[in-house]
Amino acid sequence: MSDLLYMVLVAPFKDMAGSPAFLVEVLIGGVFAGLMYSLVALGFVLIYKASGVFNFAQGVMVLFAALTLVGLLERGAPVVVALALTAAVMVGLAYAIERVVLRPLVNQPQIILFMATIGLNFFLEGFGEMAWGANVKKLDIGIPDRSFIVRGVQINELELTAAVTAAVLVTLLALFFQTTRIGLALRAVADDHEAALSIGIPLKTIWVVVWSVAGVVAIVAGLMWGAKSGVQFSLSLIALKALPVLILGGFESVPGAIVGGLIIGVGEKLGEVYWGPLVGGAIENWFAYVLALAFLLVRPQGLFGEKIIERV
Amino acid sequence: MIYREAGRFKTSYASDQAIFPIVQDRVFVRAAVVAAFVVPPLVAGDYWLQAILIPFLIYALAAIGLNLLTGYAGQLSLGTGGFMAVGAYSAFKLTTAFPRLSIIAVFLLSGLAAAAIGLLFGIPSLRIKGFYLAVATLAAQFFLIWLFNKVAWFTNYASSGTITAPDRTVLGVTVTGPNATAAARYVMALAFVTVFALVAKNLVRGRIGRSWMAIRDRDIAAEIIGVRPLRTKLLAFGISSFYCGVAGAELVFLYLGSAETLAFDINQSFLVLFMVIIGGLGSVLGSFLGAAFIILLPIFLTRLPHSLGLIMSVALQKQIELMIFGGLILFFLIVEPHGLARLWQIGKEKLRLWPFPH
Amino acid sequence: MSHPAPAGPVLEVDGVSVRFGALIAVNQVSLSVGRGQIVAIIGPNGAGKTTLLNAVSGFYHPYEGRIAFEGKDRTRLQPPDVAALGIARTFQNVALFKGMSVLDNIMTGRLLKMRGSFLLEALYWGPAKRQELEHRAFVERIIDFLEIQAIRKTPAGRLPYGLQKRVELARALAAEPKLLLLDEPMAGMNVEEKEDMCRFILDVNHEFGTTIALIEHDMGVVMDICDRVVVLDYGRKIADGPPAEVRKDQAVLDAYLGVAHE
């Protein structure tokens, strides 16, 4: 018994202290994975705030964006042109989704909309792979995947770039929400659809805008993840990981998405490296969900969410 | 006899409360059930039984289970694969630990084991709703699969990590394992799904079904009538998981013969969810229609280009399949949330008026 | 009823306050509803009427004060427990089970009168089947009473608003409540529908002896059918008495017509 306690409560921390450089590397790996989750979660939050739709297809949008980008690059398009075209495709996609899925389902219960995005998820997955091929592709955007060493800690240039990009993107989005007219309209819509409509905010335009923005966020996420580990189906699985991130951060909070992503990313890596071996490894698969589940029971509204008072 | 109810007045509430209030329906369904037990084993080849009918019956059972939870009680679950795995591994452990235990008892006990696990993961449903709950069930899915993968005890320390169905008999006929004929396994699966479809139908038309639907439709109004949310939801979780557990045990024992955890991954959860949505949320009949559709579509997609002389790669087939599934889910949610079952009903109403539609 | 009903008021609300954060929605309100009475709670929008009803139903718990039903304290009960005591209610914006038929909606109202036995219900056999049919017969009497025979198999969500309100009343009646709480039973109805609803409410009161507390905006209706009127304004009770008296009360007139504050 005391052996077990030692293995669970003491040994992992001794390991950490024994090799701080390794610990830092694990942490960096976790932060990187966490940023990816955050980026996907960010797309979720944007759409949820504006349309109340829980977009299960966000992960596939990441995959779709990456596939489109790689496809264009493979056909010889310069990076800038390919990016612009991909963005155009994502905007077109947002428009199509508003027209075909959201508009007919307006005023349906959330759970129906959620299931609809599961349908969307599978449709886009099939469509994306059919259009661009299903094999694993290397995405090369000119950022070298090499490392340099600072004080004995390996730092990967690509990961660093990704981190900086994500940080810039989040700042931009926050500014967009706080200062522009569209941002203001978005917040109004998020607050109350009908009231927003009645003061002349064009709901449909707002939805297209927000799904487009989520599409662009998906491009960035797809770009980073794809450059790191290749563009492949497993990209869409990070969407599932974004769910616990959202539960941790709260569905309506941009900072929540970021912090939640980092907690899950780092927690998962630490758990896997230091505690995983005790139970046979591969706990990365469920750690995030179980953490989210435990968290739900304590604080259902998330770290940054507001307490919901249910009106009768 | 023309399909009509005019002129046949119901004289008691009992006949009005029956599952099939129209006489022709009742006769037809009874005949169909009898025919289903007798005809395919005599007529259908092994391919039909093994590749289509057996998986259809097993998935129909799982779909009924999920439909009770999602369609009737309104609680979305993405953990169906995990609960099916609990059933399968329990059945394996039970048959190996108690070789003399009847296989029917094994299936039922496996269902109970799954029900217990389902109850456990249903507890958060008191505090959380909708997609929050979906995340809780995802936790069940990933955690359970990981557990069965990592803990060698579940596979009796088999180095391959697979579980295998041993030979077991019912009334002297071998129904599971490598020596069971497809016909015997078919009859076994049919017997289970017949009984449990009937049970499901009985539950949803009575007190329990009404409390589920009340919670689904308007939980606040349900509470003020006296429905206790936690108890009601947990009952739905338990029964739903029971069905999924039995289906999971059948999947290994009557269909696959042996399996790894891969057979119960997240895709299995989605597959059953598709059956429920396409077949019809809140319909027992729809669960059958949905299961048939999802089983037949890939076979159809394999055969169709072949018979048209086209060559379609396996990958392309898979992609088209995904697009059709996704597209149909959107279609049904938007156009007909009650799925194939509702289309069936509309067809029947047309028939009732035929040949005088006005 | 086999046993005699206890004497005294059915419902007693004693100094109850309900707060949401800093907002005091109901402020030290006391009222009592006598057996067999029809009592109206009126007041301008935002006066705290529905909040008070929700506190009685167990959705909100009072911050202070106590609520007693048939003389027993029941301040902190949950909604299902309140239902078990014999209190039924309808909602301001109709809370029917839209996916279920009218018949199933009303049958759900019988829930607490039914005994559960899972195995028998799974088989739909013996006592379970008998019980189902007995309750069906009872529900049919309510359907006849409220004249909704023609729509019993229609999904509730497809009904026009006025009928939905009637079905909701039927569902509440199915529980054979001792106290019936109606939240704006006539909101959004035309004159004819209002007259029907008035008749039903009076019939329920006369024939079943059900005690009724209702919130209503239509003064004509309130004056016609109620034994007593309680007026709330800004969460406080400002008047309580027979309709004729309350109508002349200066505070009530001020609250409704507005008064120039110097």
Side-chain angles (χ1 to χ4, degrees):
Chain A
M1 191 62 208
S2 66
D3 273 5
L4 186 69
L5 283 177
Y6 177 79
M7 275 160 67
V8 174
L9 296 177
V10 183
F13 295 103
K14 271 178 86 175
D15 289 348
M16 286 182 203
S19 170
F22 180 66
L23 174 64
V24 172
E25 275 170 31
V26 171
L27 287 176
I28 290 177
V31 168
F32 179 75
L35 277 173
M36 288 302 134
Y37 300 152
S38 300
L39 280 176
V40 180
L42 204 56
F44 272 105
V45 168
L46 288 175
I47 289 177
Y48 188 77
K49 266 174 102 87
S51 51
V53 176
F54 188 86
N55 181 27
F56 190 80
Q58 185 67 27
V60 154
M61 279 168 67
V62 173
L63 174 68
F64 192 79
L67 280 172
T68 310
L69 191 64
V70 172
L72 289 167
L73 287 173
E74 274 178 353
R75 281 162 184 72
V79 175
V80 179
V81 178
L83 276 174
L85 280 176
T86 309
V89 168
M90 296 314 283
V91 172
L93 185 67
Y95 188 78
I97 290 173
E98 194 279 325
R99 194 81 192 76
V100 180
V101 183
L102 296 184
R103 211 180 288 182
L105 284 175
V106 80
N107 283 335
Q108 291 285 334
Q110 281 190 334
I111 197 90
I112 297 284
L113 280 156
F114 178 51
M115 290 196 274
T117 62
I118 294 181
L120 188 66
N121 180 77
F122 280 80
F123 181 84
L124 281 180
E125 192 179 319
F127 182 69
E129 287 185 358
M130 195 165 81
W132 302 110
N135 43 337
V136 180
K137 299 184 179 77
K138 188 71 191 162
L139 179 63
D140 187 5
I141 46 170
I143 306 168
D145 188 5
R146 61 170 180 236
S147 307
F148 51 91
I149 293 182
V150 182
R151 295 178 177 216
V153 177
Q154 253 197 5
I155 294 176
N156 184 296
E157 221 169 296
L158 186 69
E159 291 180 0
L160 193 65
T161 318
V164 173
T165 316
V168 170
L169 190 69
V170 171
T171 317
L172 284 177
L173 278 172
L175 286 174
F176 175 76
F177 260 96
Q178 292 303 328
T179 56
T180 64
R181 281 189 54 190
I182 290 188
L184 185 65
L186 276 177
R187 277 185 289 150
V189 170
D191 221 39
D192 188 334
H193 287 187
E194 279 175 26
L197 261 180
S198 68
I199 56 164
I201 293 172
L203 204 54
K204 281 162 191 152
T205 320
I206 294 294
W207 282 354
V208 173
V209 168
V210 90
W211 279 75
S212 303
V213 173
V216 173
V217 173
I219 298 177
V220 178
L223 202 70
M224 292 305 154
W225 198 268
K228 180 74 188 160
S229 35
V231 176
Q232 53 179 318
F233 168 71
S234 68
L235 261 182
S236 68
L237 283 181
I238 58 173
L240 292 177
K241 281 282 173 64
L243 291 167
V245 168
L246 290 166
I247 284 183
L248 233 57
F251 280 85
E252 303 206 10
S253 161
V254 171
I258 307 298
V259 176
L262 291 176
I263 292 177
I264 297 267
V266 170
E268 178 175 279
K269 278 281 183 302
L270 285 178
E272 179 70 49
V273 171
Y274 291 101
W275 283 273
L278 293 178
V279 287
I283 63 172
E284 255 182 300
N285 286 336
W286 54 264
F287 177 81
Y289 302 98
V290 175
L291 182 65
L293 186 58
F295 193 77
L296 267 178
L297 294 174
V298 184
R299 200 180 152 83
Q301 69 271 33
L303 282 173
F304 293 83
E306 285 167 21
K307 194 165 169 64
I308 314 138
I309 297 175
E310 205 168 336
R311 283 199 52 128
V312 181
Chain B
M1 194 159 38
I2 297 177
Y3 186 77
R4 187 125 330 148
E5 58 182 331
R8 270 180 221 121
F9 296 105
K10 289 157 214 150
T11 48
S12 71
Y13 294 133
S15 63
D16 193 45
Q17 300 268 71
I19 297 179
F20 302 105
I22 300 175
V23 180
Q24 288 97 325
D25 276 352
R26 216 151 41 225
V27 173
F28 172 77
V29 167
R30 277 179 198 154
V33 170
V34 172
F37 273 101
V38 179
V39 179
L42 296 177
V43 177
D46 268 8
Y47 171 79
W48 264 86
L49 290 171
Q50 174 62 27
I52 298 173
L53 291 173
I54 293 176
F56 158 66
L57 294 173
I58 294 170
Y59 278 107
L61 185 63
I64 294 172
L66 183 61
N67 216 335
L68 292 178
L69 182 64
T70 303
Y72 285 96
Q75 312 295 312
L76 180 59
S77 163
L78 298 175
T80 314
F83 299 133
M84 287 171 77
V86 174
Y89 281 80
S90 308
F92 175 71
K93 289 302 287 184
L94 283 167
T95 43
T96 46
F98 308 101
R100 303 176 59 89
L101 192 61
S102 151
I103 190 69
I104 293 174
V106 166
F107 281 3
L108 295 178
L109 289 172
S110 308
L112 286 180
I117 302 295
L119 282 178
L120 191 66
F121 281 95
I123 291 174
S125 69
L126 175 67
R127 294 198 59 179
I128 54 179
K129 295 175 186 172
F131 32 68
Y132 283 84
L133 186 63
V135 176
T137 57
L138 269 181
Q141 170 72 43
F142 288 107
F143 179 75
L144 289 170
I145 297 305
W146 173 86
L147 190 70
F148 293 130
N149 230 344
K150 286 294 164 196
V151 181
W153 179 80
F154 288 111
T155 55
N156 285 348
Y157 305 96
S159 56
S160 59
T162 56
I163 51 172
T164 311
D167 283 326
R168 287 292 179 275
T169 58
V170 171
L171 303 173
V173 182
T174 311
V175 291
T176 67
N179 295 319
T181 62
R185 287 179 286 131
Y186 165 82
V187 172
M188 183 82 172
L190 181 62
F192 267 88
V193 83
T194 309
V195 170
F196 283 114
L198 191 66
V199 167
K201 197 73 202 173
N202 284 339
L203 288 178
V204 298
R205 67 176 163 151
R207 182 188 66 101
I208 291 169
R210 285 192 296 268
S211 358
W212 285 342
M213 290 186 276
I215 284 284
R216 173 195 71 188
D217 282 356
R218 203 67 181 255
D219 51 357
I220 282 168
E223 280 187 62
I224 198 62
I225 280 174
V227 179
R228 290 180 192 278
L230 181 62
R231 199 182 292 172
T232 310
K233 288 179 191 173
L234 282 185
L235 186 64
F237 263 98
I239 294 174
S240 167
S241 306
F242 176 87
Y243 276 64
C244 292
V246 174
E250 288 186 8
L251 196 69
V252 175
F253 278 64
L254 301 180
Y255 176 51
L256 299 172
S258 66
E260 299 170 42
T261 46
L262 199 62
F264 300 102
D265 69 357
I266 179 84
N267 289 316
Q268 198 74 265
S269 300
F270 281 119
L271 203 66
V272 180
L273 182 65
F274 293 169
M275 292 173 185
V276 170
I277 297 178
I278 290 176
L281 288 161
S283 162
V284 173
L285 170 70
S287 308
F288 283 95
L289 297 177
F293 185 87
I294 299 273
I295 299 284
L296 287 175
L297 183 70
I299 295 170
F300 179 74
L301 283 177
T302 323
R303 295 259 165 128
L304 180 73
H306 190 69
S307 58
L308 292 174
L310 295 168
I311 296 159
M312 203 192 262
S313 72
V314 177
L316 185 60
Q317 257 174 41
K318 192 78 202 150
Q319 288 150 14
I320 293 182
E321 200 180 297
L322 284 177
M323 285 175 66
I324 293 183
F325 282 170
L328 276 173
I329 284 174
L330 287 173
F331 171 83
F332 276 113
L333 287 176
I334 292 169
V335 180
E336 189 48 82
H338 298 287
L340 292 170
R342 176 74 189 140
L343 296 182
W344 170 268
Q345 212 180 6
I346 291 173
K348 252 173 48 170
E349 265 157 35
K350 291 243 163 75
L351 184 64
R352 203 180 286 184
L353 298 172
W354 183 86
F356 308 110
H358 293 294
Chain C
M1 293 268 157
S2 51
H3 50 88
V10 175
L11 177 72
E12 270 176 298
V13 174
D14 186 15
V16 162
S17 302
V18 180
R19 303 170 48 149
F20 303 109
L23 176 79
I24 300 175
V26 173
N27 197 349
Q28 298 187 333
V29 169
S30 301
L31 59 88
S32 78
V33 180
R35 191 164 301 280
Q37 278 190 325
I38 302 182
V39 172
I41 302 167
I42 66 168
N45 283 324
K49 306 182 295 284
T50 299
T51 307
L52 182 62
L53 227 55
N54 283 338
V56 175
S57 300
F59 286 118
Y60 303 145
H61 289 154
Y63 151 80
E64 60 180 350
R66 81 188 253 288
I67 300 172
F69 183 73
E70 294 191 324
K72 284 198 263 322
D73 182 74
R74 48 128 319 242
T75 313
R76 308 215 73 82
L77 290 185
Q78 294 296 320
D81 304 314
V82 173
L85 289 177
I87 302 181
R89 76 172 280 186
T90 66
F91 292 82
Q92 197 171 347
N93 8 331
V94 188
L96 283 179
F97 309 125
K98 294 198 166 152
M100 299 160 71
S101 70
V102 167
L103 182 63
D104 276 341
N105 264 281
I106 308 175
M107 285 290 278
T108 311
R110 296 293 292 163
L111 188 88
L112 285 173
K113 302 277 171 199
M114 299 178 87
R115 265 199 311 277
S117 82
F118 179 77
L119 272 181
L120 292 176
E121 286 174 75
L123 300 172
Y124 198 73
W125 180 79
K129 183 176 180 181
R130 235 177 0 255
Q131 156 168 288
E132 194 76 8
L133 295 178
E134 279 165 20
H135 288 282
R136 170 76 192 267
F138 183 89
V139 163
E140 287 292 336
R141 287 207 291 281
I142 293 175
I143 288 178
D144 289 341
F145 177 70
L146 292 176
E147 297 159 21
I148 46 177
Q149 297 91 336
I151 54 164
R152 57 160 87 77
K153 295 284 171 78
T154 315
R158 286 202 215 146
L159 294 174
Y161 184 74
L163 277 179
Q164 292 202 8
K165 285 241 158 195
R166 207 186 287 184
V167 174
E168 206 188 11
L169 176 64
R171 189 181 65 189
L173 287 180
E176 298 174 74
K178 295 172 190 158
L179 173 64
L180 182 59
L181 308 171
L182 305 173
D183 195 348
E184 301 200 18
M186 275 158 264
M189 288 187 163
N190 61 31
V191 178
E192 237 170 277
E193 287 171 327
K194 278 186 185 177
E195 279 172 3
D196 281 344
M197 189 54 93
C198 277
R199 182 162 55 85
F200 292 136
I201 292 173
L202 286 171
D203 283 354
V204 169
N205 182 246
H206 290 160
E207 286 188 25
F208 307 127
T210 311
T211 310
I212 298 174
L214 58 88
I215 294 176
E216 187 48 59
H217 276 299
D218 188 320
M219 278 308 126
V221 169
V222 170
M223 299 302 159
D224 282 352
I225 67 175
C226 295
D227 302 310
R228 234 180 68 233
V229 180
V230 175
V231 189
L232 297 187
D233 189 30
Y234 292 110
R236 286 182 177 280
K237 185 168 92 168
I238 57 170
D240 187 345
E245 276 175 34
V246 167
R247 203 203 311 244
K248 288 180 237 144
D249 191 294
Q250 192 55 42
V252 176
L253 290 174
D254 289 347
Y256 268 89
L257 303 174
V259 62
H261 294 282
E262 275 95 277

